[in-house]
Amino acid sequence: MQTDLDQLLLSNGIRLNVVQRRRLDWLVQRLGTAVLSQGGSVPVRNSGVVIVVEPPSGPAAETLYRSLRADCAVVIPFGENPAFDFFKSKLTDFGTIGPSLDGPHEMWWGGINWRAIAPEGDTRTVAPLRVVSCYPRAFGDDHANQLRDKLAEFQIASDIAPIDTVVDGCMSASEKAAFILRMWQQHREPLLFIKADATLSEPPLLPSNLDCDIAFHKWNRWEMSARTLYIGRSAAAEALLRNWHHIATAYPSVWEGYLLDQAWSLTSSQMSLDTVWLPRSYHAPTEDAGTPRHTTVVHNLPADNADLGPDAEFAVAMRGVRRASRSGGRDSMIVVTSQATATDAITVIMRDIATSDAREVAASIEAVTGAFAADCGGFGRLELSLCPWQDDIRAAKSAAKSANNRIIEIAPWQTLPADLFRAVAQTRDSGSVVVMAGQRS
């Protein structure tokens, strides 16, 4: 089976980094044989994992969706490409794994529902787990009693503590992140942070069964919530925690969901962060507890589909890309550091991706990262942004200029010279944008 999977990836030019390949192996072991679907072709009926490498058209997406078994998973190796967004919207997103130099794409995986990944009565050995939580000291000792009682009933280790806050009765994102980071350093088990006023309907064992770096829920499919947050024992998980704490400390007035979003985007661009998007059962509003809907973590929230953040219009530009579980044009899709001692960075803006073939875009991403690895031109860091729209290009340019980065603008169909970064480094005007010339063949 391992040889067959190696051949399938190699023969179709699919590059996965170590973390992505580990996740694919995990899916195959759980669900069965992996097969390839191109152009919306219907997969073999007994396949457990369907790898989609070309974005299907509307009718083809519907046909492919209807052909999928309820107990299979769909893997998109080029998940950063917005051309896959429509097909993703028909499925439940299970996870996203960030790019790296050896696999410079975002791998998305999803399916029909969570039952295939987390079947009821699963008897697999689950890694040890510690639940942590905190609340402002002003709330009093009884604030987390429901959560404490349920954890004791389920015999789950926990640390639930009041903390001193700058504002009485209000805990900032920075204070929460600092507490979780302190718990992560103090204990050796993976952590599951649950907001202190929540309660449990059953033991929260799913995250430990997923072997991921980080897991949380996207409210309304786009807004990242820190009410239920799993943190694994990995360098990538620690990096996300530290980035979240740093950003939250720098921007104390911004609500915690968007701060977590930005920490996730930053961390995912720099390392292969293995993220799982937890199902609603781990972020159930109180009203869900009395319905037939399966629940695990029940939060003191209304079920009216309202935003968690204080401003309904905040971060509107990010909603579409987060619903597709990917970075957007205003984020760097991948950040690669070199061995150069210089601190200078270069931003590559890839335009026209909405009108380019998916393989063409993928090949261009690999060409850019490969050229930087071969000859960085003395730049210490490469930041690559995919920009389908002019607004994204303008935002990416503005961010690059504010950071004093050099800028190259390319299209996926253009052939890049081997000494691209060396040639740009030798140009005199550090404030200019180098636009690669060339006609579509």
Side-chain angles (χ1 to χ4, degrees), residues 117-366:
I117 306 299
E120 294 181 11
D122 194 341
T123 58
R124 300 173 195 272
T125 301
V126 179
L129 174 74
R130 178 175 292 270
V131 171
V132 298
S133 189
C134 60
Y135 54 91
R137 196 175 299 279
F139 284 0
D141 293 338
D142 296 337
H143 182 71
N145 278 352
Q146 277 191 307
L147 182 59
R148 284 194 185 97
D149 291 346
K150 280 295 185 180
L151 290 168
E153 177 186 334
F154 297 142
Q155 298 182 333
I156 296 175
S158 66
D159 266 314
I160 303 176
I163 62 171
D164 295 318
T165 57
V166 173
V167 179
D168 279 348
C170 181
M171 182 168 58
S172 70
S174 176
E175 290 163 342
K176 177 190 284 191
F179 170 81
I180 299 174
L181 183 57
R182 186 166 66 252
M183 291 294 100
W184 195 90
Q185 293 168 329
Q186 181 176 328
H187 299 291
R188 299 273 63 87
E189 313 101 310
L191 302 181
L192 180 65
F193 176 90
I194 300 177
K195 199 167 186 295
D197 61 356
T199 189
L200 302 175
S201 299
E202 62 181 18
L205 303 179
L206 172 63
S208 290
N209 218 343
L210 295 171
D211 191 24
C212 60
D213 295 321
I214 197 86
F216 47 94
H217 179 72
K218 288 188 298 176
W219 188 247
N220 301 332
R221 293 196 72 169
W222 76 270
E223 184 176 346
M224 297 185 185
S225 171
R227 288 173 178 262
T228 305
L229 178 63
Y230 171 83
I231 308 100
R233 301 303 311 183
S234 67
E238 182 184 14
L240 181 134
L241 272 182
R242 292 189 180 280
N243 285 335
W244 185 31
H245 181 245
H246 175 75
I247 295 171
T249 302
Y251 300 95
S253 62
V254 179
W255 48 278
E256 68 176 21
Y258 186 65
L259 295 168
L260 179 59
D261 177 294
Q262 293 302 286
W264 175 83
S265 176
L266 174 63
T267 310
S268 293
S269 70
Q270 296 177 339
M271 57 186 64
S272 296
L273 183 71
D274 188 346
T275 304
V276 166
W277 308 113
L278 290 175
R280 179 169 167 133
S281 60
Y282 274 71
H283 200 281
T286 305
E287 287 86 343
D288 282 7
T291 69
R293 185 198 299 263
H294 174 67
T295 62
T296 302
V297 182
V298 182
H299 288 286
N300 184 22
L301 282 173
D304 59 2
N305 210 34
D307 292 325
L308 294 176
D311 184 352
E313 298 303 316
F314 198 71
V316 171
M318 303 306 301
R319 297 187 186 189
V321 296
R322 293 301 184 258
R323 287 191 181 104
S325 302
R326 61 177 176 82
S327 58
R330 295 154 197 263
D331 306 311
S332 295
M333 193 275 288
I334 183 170
V335 176
V336 179
T337 56
S338 72
Q339 298 299 317
T341 56
T343 58
D344 293 346
I346 187 163
T347 294
V348 175
I349 295 172
M350 191 176 296
R351 66 180 190 275
D352 297 346
I353 63 171
T355 58
S356 298
D357 177 82
R359 289 282 196 177
E360 199 171 46
V361 175
S364 189
I365 292 171
E366 293 173 16

